[in-house]
Amino acid sequence: MVREPEDQDQLQSMVFAFFKEYRIARLLKQSNITKQAGVAVLDVFRAIFSLVFTQRSLNRWLKQSGGEGFGKDTVYRFLNSPVTTGGVFCFC
């Protein structure tokens, strides 16, 4: 679990490497998960994915990091989308 700022940078580089190696962007596109407006889907998914390793709630992360250009409404729309629920979490 990540607690220190230097660990945060290391986590981000590891997450980027994981997403690149496993071609997560391509999987999202193949699952027909695209952005409706605003922020790229990959950025939102990467932020949600990273939360697991930081032991922070979404609200705390948004307050501390500024949300990387999006708010909790964007995250909730992503999570509540019927396309996302059926597609992104069933990559098998």
Side-chain angles (χ1 to χ4, degrees), residues 11-29:
L11 171 67
Q12 290 302 320
S13 66
M14 291 174 72
V15 168
F16 275 99
F18 175 83
F19 274 53
K20 186 175 181 179
E21 181 177 344
Y22 290 97
R23 299 178 181 161
I24 301 298
R26 191 179 89 193
L27 292 172
L28 289 170
K29 189 173 183 177

Side-chain angles (χ1 to χ4, degrees), residues 1 31 37 43 66 70 77-78:
M1 295 299 149
S31 298
D43 293 339
F70 54 89
R77 262 186 272 128
F78 177 81

Side-chain angles (χ1 to χ4, degrees), residues 1-2 5 11 13 19 23 26-27 31 33 39 43 52 54-55 58 64-65 70-72 77 85-86 90:
M1 295 299 149
V2 176
L11 171 67
S13 66
F19 274 53
R23 299 178 181 161
R26 191 179 89 193
L27 292 172
S31 298
I33 299 172
V39 182
D43 293 339
V52 175
T54 60
Q55 291 185 329
L58 175 62
Q64 289 180 345
S65 71
F70 54 89
K72 69 179 177 182
R77 262 186 272 128
T85 307
C90 298

Side-chain angles (χ1 to χ4, degrees), residues 37-56:
V39 182
V41 173
L42 186 61
D43 293 339
V44 177
F45 186 70
R46 188 180 296 128
I48 296 168
F49 184 82
S50 298
L51 281 177
V52 175
F53 302 104
T54 60
Q55 291 185 329
R56 291 191 181 122

